[in-house]
Amino acid sequence: MKDLYHPFLVGEIIYLRGLEEQDLVGSYFQWFNDQESDVFTNHAVWPNSQKKMRAFFDKVADGRSDLVLAIIDKASHRHIGNIGLHDINWQHRHAKLAIIVGEKDMRGGGRGAEAVRLVTGHAFKRLNLHRIHLGVREDNTPARRAYAKAGFQEEGCLRDVFLSGGTYYNVINMSLISPY
Ligand SMILES: CC(C)(COP(=O)(O)OP(=O)(O)OC[C@H]1O[C@@H](n2cnc3c(N)ncnc32)[C@H](O)[C@@H]1OP(=O)(O)O)[C@@H](O)C(=O)NCCC(=O)NCCS
C-alpha cells in the first residue's frame, strides 16, 4: 500500500494532515460553490475565489486560533474534505468545530464520523481544550448523527435562525466536554 502523505492523525479509513498550498487548486475549490452540497451551510452564497481560499489558508497557517486539517481517504489517497477547530479560546479552553466532506461520493461511509472523533481526541489530549461546540441545522441528519456518535450532546435550540428558500430552520447547539 502507498505510504500515507504527511499524516498527522491516523484513523481506520481516513487520516488527517495539515492543509497544503497544493490543496488550493482542484475540486477542493468547488466544494464551496456547490449549491446542493452546501444547503446546510453558509457556503455557496457568494462564489468562491482564489483570493478567499488564499486568505483562509494564510490565516490558518500563521495563526493559533484555527486548526484546519485535510481529510484524506486512506484507500484512494483522495483529499475528500476538511475538518477544523475555529475561534480557539485559550483562556476558557473551548473551540468551534466545522467539517465538510466535499467529495459527495465519499459521504455516508463513516469518514465524517471518524474525522470528528480524531480531531476531538486531539483537541482534548494535545491542545488541552475542555469544550468543543457547534451549531447544526436541525434537518442535517448526517451531521447530527456524526456528532452524536462522537459523544456530542444537544444543549439548546436557536429558533428560526437559518433562512433558506423562504423557510426558517432551527439550529441545534451541540457540545462535547473533555473526559480528561
Ligand atoms: C455532515 C458530514 C460531514 C457527515 O460526513 P459523512 O462522512 O457523510 O458521515 P458518516 O458517513 O460518518 O455518517 C454519520 C452518520 O450519519 C448517517 N448518515 C450519513 N448520510 C446520511 C443521510 N443521507 N441520511 C441520513 N443519515 C445519514 C450515517 O449512517 C451515520 O450514522 P450511523 O453511523 O448512526 O448510521 C457530510 O455529510 C457533509 O460534509 N455534509 C455537508 C456539509 C455539512 O453539512 N457540514 C456540517 C455542517 S454543521
Side-chain angles (χ1 to χ4, degrees):
M1 191 174 156
K2 211 169 125 187
D3 285 345
L4 307 186
Y5 174 73
H6 294 176
F8 182 63
L9 300 173
V10 179
E12 299 280 318
I13 52 175
I14 54 109
Y15 73 96
L16 305 179
R17 63 158 170 79
L19 210 52
E20 302 196 353
E21 209 158 344
Q22 70 208 37
D23 297 322
L24 300 186
V25 294
S27 59
Y28 170 29
F29 185 97
Q30 276 305 104
W31 300 342
F32 305 107
N33 273 337
D34 187 327
Q35 300 298 326
E36 178 204 333
S37 185
D38 293 327
V39 69
F40 297 120
T41 72
N42 289 317
H43 298 304
V45 176
W46 302 95
N48 198 10
S49 68
Q50 285 296 346
K51 192 175 172 189
K52 261 195 237 174
M53 298 279 281
R54 165 61 58 188
F56 177 75
F57 179 77
D58 288 344
K59 176 175 180 271
V60 166
D62 294 342
R64 285 291 175 270
S65 57
D66 303 271
L67 170 76
V68 177
L69 297 168
I71 306 172
I72 312 295
D73 176 54
K74 269 175 120 175
S76 65
H77 296 270
R78 277 167 70 196
H79 175 200
I80 60 163
N82 285 345
I83 187 162
L85 299 172
H86 299 281
D87 303 333
I88 300 177
N89 184 316
W90 297 109
Q91 182 186 353
H92 299 296
R93 298 168 56 208
H94 58 70
K96 185 173 173 184
L97 181 94
I99 180 170
I100 181 168
V101 173
E103 298 297 324
K104 286 185 273 192
D105 62 320
M106 287 282 157
R107 289 188 188 158
R111 296 174 185 83
E114 183 164 74
V116 171
R117 280 197 302 273
L118 284 174
V119 96
T120 52
H122 181 72
F124 297 141
K125 283 188 263 191
R126 301 287 288 150
L127 297 173
N128 295 318
L129 295 176
H130 176 67
R131 170 190 155 95
I132 308 296
H133 53 255
L134 56 92
V136 55
R137 209 171 97 170
E138 63 184 344
D139 56 335
N140 191 348
T141 308
R144 285 177 72 174
R145 289 178 75 133
Y147 302 140
K149 272 170 84 176
F152 278 76
Q153 288 182 24
E154 299 190 357
E155 58 181 13
C157 172
L158 302 176
R159 292 178 299 157
D160 283 3
V161 75
F162 194 110
L163 176 61
S164 179
T167 303
Y168 284 100
Y169 294 89
N170 298 336
V171 163
I172 308 297
N173 283 341
M174 300 181 80
S175 70
L176 179 66
I177 300 294
S178 170
Y180 304 109

